[in-house]
Amino acid sequence: MRALNLTLLTDLYELTMMQGYFKNPTDQIVVFDAFYRKNPCGGGYAIAAGLEQIIEYVRDLHFSPDDIDYLKSLKIFDTDFLEYLRGFHFTGDIYAIPEGTVVFPREPLLKVIAPVMEAQLIETAVLNLLNHQSLIATKASRVVYAAKGDGIMEFGLRRAQGPDAGLYGARAAVIGGCIGTSNVLTGQMFQVPVKGTHAHSWIMSFPDEYTAFKTYAELYPNACILLVDTYDVLNSGVPNAIRVFKEMREAGIDLKGYGIRIDSGDLAYLSKQAYKMLADAGFEDAIISASSDLDEYLIESLKAQGAKINSWGVGTNLITCNDNPAFGGVYKLAAIKNKDDEDFIPKIKLSENIEKITNPGNKTIQRIYDKHTGKIRADLICLENEVFNADEDMIIFDPIATWKKTKIPGGSYILRELLVPVFQKGECVYTSPSVMEIQEICRKELNTLWDETRRFVNPQEVYVDLSDELYKIKSDLLKKVGQASIE
């Protein structure tokens, strides 16, 4: 799958527009922003993910002879345009927010500056790769937060919407904080921990539960997690597990990484009773793992009920992000110039839905941190060439409800530019960290959020404001374009 040429992973209209530009020659350079409008899962943030795969896609972008033959068979593309595609490659610039960074609505997660045909072609694939992994990484971070330090294992491959969703969804889940995945191919490709126990079928294939447990313990004495709900958790599963653990201890085996897994029933009640039985037998340090259609809300509820679970296997609801199956990222034209011009002309898209009105211009993002706590105060979308002095007072305001203003005293805050160069003149200038390094970046990033932003119900929104200069350009364009549409 990874070696597959993804050049035709695009919507047809990208190619028909490309032919239109080809037939009407232009030397225009454009700026496109990829951003999203609403946080997933009703939350207060999202996690940027998928950049490594975007880099691989852009780096390998080319039309193979088979691609050209297929496009020719559609009978909607002219021969001269198809000949142009034979030598096509990306020559532009790309800036992006690094993977693992916490992000917020309306700010560019990725910016493309390129000839119009090149920028147009990559739209669909960029959104596909960015949307999916950002969604799953965000969901995983919420599940991990609910577990309050307990390990979360990603177990969703068999329920994912296809191999790619399972493979890259598991990658994103580890970025979001999962300690491992059951997906062996993800483990191989991205060097992340793989974890798993055994199925009910293992138990059922033996004459009795005890024999199944004993055999498994002999095979994996240092990773002996026994599934105890095949028949009866408290009257059969846990007693048989305790019997095996006692025999292991009597045999001089140093018990570590051992315990039980419960996959059905009332997890709060069963885990508390199972813990009591294990503790009474001298196994109070045993892992009690739970699975069974878990998500952040159920985990939070079980923790509140005092469930004695300290390890969680989360599958379907994580890998599919069942309560919010799409991230909703978009890719919009923001500025344009002729090849030899120095300055971009800002462009804006209007809509009757105010949240769909775009922010014009060649932009970047300055993140404002509280100097004393390290927490995020706000994000400031500004023009690429704007300069700010953190020693001076800054007044930020809501770009829609402009009367909502906040003064941040000079010297009390730190600025960090979020967008970094990824491609320059078609050449990749960015090295992706490993997945486990990105996970650590994500962990630190999440710690810059206030707890009020991470709560699941009515989270506090992080302000995403416009600089004065950008706000003025947007206001002037709204008046100009709006008046033109009336006339």
Side-chain angles (χ1 to χ4, degrees):
M1 288 182 295
R2 211 179 193 198
L4 186 66
N5 176 15
L6 299 180
T7 303
L8 291 188
L9 184 70
T10 189
D11 293 309
L12 180 63
Y13 80 165
E14 312 288 15
L15 291 164
T16 57
M17 283 189 285
M18 284 182 72
Q19 179 166 251
Y21 292 127
F22 180 82
K23 294 293 186 179
N24 298 274
T26 175
D27 61 357
Q28 288 179 330
I29 305 297
V30 296
V31 177
F32 272 91
D33 295 332
F35 62 96
Y36 72 102
R37 298 189 179 105
K38 185 179 180 182
N39 287 318
C41 309
Y45 68 93
I47 300 294
L51 180 59
E52 182 179 343
Q53 283 63 54
I54 291 173
I55 291 171
E56 291 172 355
Y57 158 74
V58 173
R59 187 187 281 148
D60 190 47
L61 199 60
H62 72 282
F63 289 85
S64 70
D66 287 344
D67 294 338
I68 301 297
D69 289 344
Y70 171 71
L71 294 176
K72 183 178 181 180
S73 75
L74 298 179
K75 302 187 184 305
I76 57 175
F77 299 109
D78 293 344
T79 301
D80 55 349
F81 175 62
L82 294 175
E83 286 303 310
Y84 161 76
L85 293 183
R86 289 185 190 275
F88 179 90
H89 63 282
F90 184 78
T91 65
D93 302 339
I94 295 178
Y95 299 81
I97 297 177
E99 291 189 272
T101 306
V102 295
V103 291
F104 308 105
R106 299 179 298 281
E107 57 192 24
L109 310 188
L110 181 140
K111 178 176 72 172
V112 177
I113 305 177
V116 63
M117 282 194 284
E118 298 176 25
Q120 197 72 69
L121 176 63
I122 68 174
E123 171 184 7
T124 304
V126 163
L127 287 177
N128 176 276
L129 296 166
L130 190 68
N131 281 340
H132 175 242
Q133 290 201 52
S134 297
L135 177 70
I136 304 305
T138 305
K139 182 69 170 180
S141 74
R142 291 167 57 84
V143 173
V144 169
Y145 185 65
K148 303 300 181 188
D150 297 341
I152 299 290
M153 296 172 285
E154 186 281 313
F155 279 176
L157 177 57
R158 63 189 61 192
R159 303 284 176 80
Q161 285 99 340
D164 276 354
L167 178 66
Y168 295 107
R171 176 187 186 273
V174 174
I175 287 173
C178 290
I179 63 172
T181 175
S182 66
N183 189 327
V184 180
L185 183 55
T186 295
Q188 179 195 42
M189 287 178 59
F190 301 111
Q191 298 301 297
V192 300
V194 289
K195 296 180 179 291
T197 54
H198 60 78
H200 296 106
S201 57
W202 170 268
I203 308 296
M204 296 162 68
S205 68
F206 284 83
D208 58 76
E209 189 175 53
Y210 163 73
T211 303
F213 285 173
K214 184 175 178 60
T215 304
Y216 191 83
E218 290 170 350
L219 287 168
Y220 308 107
N222 296 318
C224 185
I225 304 294
L226 302 176
L227 182 59
V228 295
D229 74 321
T230 304
Y231 303 122
D232 187 314
V233 173
L234 301 179
N235 293 315
S236 175
V238 176
N240 279 322
I242 289 172
R243 180 181 174 187
V244 169
F245 297 152
K246 285 181 176 178
E247 291 172 353
M248 294 172 71
R249 186 166 57 189
E250 290 167 359
I253 296 172
D254 181 18
L255 290 172
K256 55 184 178 180
Y258 79 105
I260 63 171
R261 177 163 72 97
I262 307 171
D263 189 50
S264 60
D266 186 328
L267 297 179
Y269 172 77
L270 292 173
S271 66
K272 286 185 277 190
Q273 294 300 312
Y275 173 78
K276 186 177 185 305
M277 295 166 69
L278 288 162
D280 288 347
F283 302 107
E284 62 278 351
D285 63 339
I287 295 168
I288 300 181
S289 179
S291 40
S292 185
D293 291 329
L294 298 170
D295 63 12
E296 66 267 43
Y297 302 104
L298 182 51
I299 292 174
E300 185 177 56
S301 174
L302 288 167
K303 298 286 280 188
Q305 295 172 62
K308 302 298 288 187
I309 299 166
N310 50 27
S311 176
W312 309 81
V314 186
T316 305
N317 295 332
L318 170 53
I319 203 66
T320 66
C321 194
N322 70 314
D323 57 338
N324 194 130
F327 190 67
V330 295
Y331 186 86
K332 298 298 181 183
L333 181 68
I336 195 165
K337 72 172 184 175
N338 292 323
K339 184 177 181 181
D340 296 328
D341 291 345
E342 183 174 343
D343 298 324
F344 281 98
I345 300 170
K347 294 288 183 176
I348 193 168
K349 175 194 174 296
L350 298 186
S351 173
E352 291 185 3
N353 298 330
I354 194 168
E355 69 275 6
K356 289 193 174 185
I357 297 174
T358 60
N359 290 318
N362 181 12
K363 302 176 295 297
T364 190
I365 310 152
Q366 293 285 350
R367 177 152 291 171
I368 306 169
Y369 296 93
D370 185 278
K371 195 171 185 177
H372 303 293
T373 66
K375 302 293 186 182
I376 297 173
R377 290 291 303 270
D379 276 1
L380 189 70
I381 305 176
C382 53
L383 297 175
E384 190 272 338
N385 58 358
E386 287 191 73
V387 177
F388 301 91
N389 184 350
D391 291 327
E392 297 177 353
D393 292 351
M394 179 180 287
I395 296 177
I396 58 176
F397 59 91
D398 189 302
I400 298 173
T402 54
W403 62 89
K404 295 181 179 179
K405 296 184 179 181
T406 300
K407 177 181 176 181
I408 306 178
S412 71
Y413 64 93
I414 298 170
L415 294 172
R416 169 192 165 205
E417 186 171 1
L418 294 188
L419 289 170
V420 301
V422 177
F423 280 87
Q424 297 282 284
K425 297 181 179 179
E427 296 295 324
C428 183
V429 295
Y430 179 83
T431 301
S432 292
S434 71
V435 171
M436 299 310 294
E437 289 171 336
I438 298 171
Q439 183 190 76
E440 179 60 17
I441 291 170
C442 185
R443 185 190 67 78
K444 292 178 180 178
E445 282 282 311
L446 288 165
N447 285 336
T448 66
L449 293 173
W450 302 88
D451 289 340
E452 291 82 356
T453 298
R454 299 193 70 181
R455 66 188 177 217
F456 299 144
V457 179
N458 296 325
Q460 174 63 39
E461 184 177 341
V462 172
Y463 294 115
V464 179
D465 300 323
L466 305 185
S467 69
D468 289 343
E469 191 172 344
L470 178 56
Y471 180 77
K472 184 178 185 305
I473 289 173
K474 184 174 183 178
S475 298
D476 291 345
L477 275 176
L478 285 171
K479 293 174 185 176
K480 180 180 178 181
V481 178
Q483 184 63 35
S485 66
I486 293 172
E487 295 173 350

